[in-house]
Amino acid sequence: MKVNKNEIKYSPSDLNNFVNCKYHIFNDLIEDEQGLIKKKPSEDIKLLRRFGDEHEAKHLKLFQKKYKKNITIDPKLDDQIRYEKTIQAIKDGYDLIYKAFFIDKNFRGETDFLIKTKEKSKIGEYNYDVYDTKITRNLKPSHVLQITGYSYLVSKLTGSLPNKMFLIDGTDKVNEFKVNEFYEYFSYIKLQFDEFLKSAKKKNLYPEKCKHCDICNWKDVCQGIWDSDNYVNQVANIIKSQIVKFKLEGIDTVNKLAGSDPNKIKAKINP
């Protein structure tokens, strides 16, 4: 996400972050304003990213060998120039477009690969399917949401939503998905995201631990809040449902929990 004064530019990856944790997006919005500092990626994350880049590069070579009429949109160029070059590449009917870049108002994104199909669209007797590489062997719903977002962006240029989209996993298996089976979910999430942005800074948000924390750039920021507040989630092995029940009892800090009388807690707290 890019926040510049009153302008917010976001991508399908930001929609995934929104689904995983709204506080992630909140931190993105106030980063410059509050001077927040992102956590540096761990060595594990760096290694995964390197493997991911190598995985993508391998399939780029395979695709370039198969599709001789191909073009790469230089990701180092200005966003607007990348977008214009993508428009021209699509009009020129390249069989393979690597690093295509799309802009739809404040929503934008870069695809790994666009591959030309024989499906009719408003630009002619062809359209483009999205192919994205993932180093993981176990694909997630977030991966599908991401390529659905890219397929939506393709439709903004070709006038027609592609029928299919593809994920190439860490085993090199090409996984096929039907765009229309996920499009409504994508549209719903995008709408919710747009509504969230309008009033996010006015909301009384508080960070909660989730599975996203392990890979989140804002983990240290949230940890600092929990430490400062003596938040009850600092109790070893406590789970989300227990936190919710304790808070309903007015117990929201470690100290309050330590000083509470178990016999006076009305909620049933399962171990």
Side-chain angles (χ1 to χ4, degrees):
M1 180 184 291
K2 296 180 180 179
V3 180
N4 183 16
K5 294 183 179 179
N6 294 323
E7 185 179 35
I8 301 171
K9 300 173 183 177
Y10 66 96
S11 69
S13 296
D14 293 309
L15 296 184
N16 279 336
N17 290 334
F18 175 70
V19 172
N20 288 322
C21 177
K22 291 181 176 59
Y23 206 82
H24 183 124
I25 302 302
F26 179 73
N27 280 335
D28 285 342
L29 293 172
I30 66 171
E31 177 181 2
D32 292 336
E33 180 183 313
Q34 298 292 328
L36 302 182
I37 300 176
K38 290 181 177 178
K39 176 185 177 182
K40 293 183 179 180
S42 66
E43 292 304 314
D44 287 347
I45 295 297
K46 289 180 182 178
L47 188 60
L48 281 174
R49 288 176 181 174
R50 194 191 85 196
F51 287 156
D53 290 342
E54 292 173 354
H55 182 52
E56 180 181 318
K58 177 177 71 174
H59 285 279
L60 171 60
K61 289 182 179 180
L62 292 173
F63 281 140
Q64 287 177 329
K65 186 176 181 180
K66 183 176 181 180
Y67 301 103
K68 300 302 181 183
K69 186 180 179 181
N70 65 76
I71 187 172
T72 296
I73 309 299
D74 187 352
K76 295 180 181 179
L77 295 174
D78 175 79
D79 284 0
Q80 187 61 36
I81 295 176
R82 295 166 68 195
Y83 177 54
E84 292 170 359
K85 286 184 174 292
T86 297
I87 293 174
Q88 191 59 52
I90 287 176
K91 287 181 178 179
D92 291 342
Y94 278 89
D95 296 323
L96 167 66
I97 305 175
Y98 179 54
K99 295 298 183 185
F101 188 78
F102 299 91
I103 297 177
D104 178 46
K105 298 178 182 178
N106 288 352
F107 187 52
R108 51 195 60 203
E110 174 190 284
T111 63
D112 284 353
F113 308 102
L114 290 185
I115 293 182
K116 188 178 178 182
T117 70
K118 294 181 179 180
E119 297 170 12
K120 293 182 180 180
S121 69
K122 291 185 179 179
I123 58 171
E125 298 295 312
Y126 64 94
N127 203 346
Y128 286 90
D129 286 343
V130 172
Y131 283 70
D132 202 60
T133 54
K134 298 296 179 187
I135 192 59
T136 180
R137 297 187 177 193
N138 302 308
L139 298 177
K140 301 176 181 179
S142 59
H143 299 148
V144 182
L145 175 62
Q146 185 176 4
I147 58 173
T148 307
Y150 293 144
S151 297
Y152 161 83
L153 288 168
V154 168
S155 74
K156 289 298 180 178
L157 289 187
T158 66
S160 300
L161 195 68
N163 288 327
K164 298 175 182 179
M165 53 189 178
F166 302 84
L167 286 170
I168 306 173
D169 65 29
T171 68
D172 295 327
K173 178 182 178 182
V174 180
N175 300 268
E176 177 183 312
F177 301 89
K178 294 181 179 179
V179 178
N180 61 8
E181 291 183 355
F182 301 92
Y183 188 74
E184 285 190 15
Y185 175 64
F186 157 76
S187 298
Y188 170 77
I189 295 300
K190 186 175 182 299
L191 178 62
Q192 293 297 307
F193 185 88
D194 287 333
E195 290 299 315
F196 178 82
L197 292 182
K198 293 177 183 178
S199 59
K201 291 185 179 181
K202 299 178 183 178
K203 294 180 181 293
N204 186 25
L205 291 178
Y206 194 84
E208 298 288 355
K209 285 185 179 180
C210 64
K211 293 180 180 179
H212 186 60
C213 290
D214 291 337
I215 59 171
C216 184
N217 294 328
W218 298 120
K219 184 176 181 180
D220 289 349
V221 172
C222 294
Q223 187 64 55
I225 293 173
W226 297 329
D227 290 344
S228 177
D229 292 348
N230 190 231
Y231 191 45
V232 72
N233 75 346
Q234 303 296 84
V235 174
N237 299 320
I238 195 168
I239 59 177
K240 184 176 181 179
S241 62
Q242 294 171 336
I243 293 172
V244 171
K245 290 177 181 179
F246 281 135
K247 288 172 72 173
L248 289 174
E249 299 278 343
I251 302 171
D252 57 2
T253 69
V254 176
N255 289 342
K256 286 181 181 179
L257 179 60
S260 64
D261 183 350
N263 296 319
K264 293 183 178 181
I265 297 177
K266 298 178 182 179
K268 182 179 179 182
I269 309 295
N270 296 319

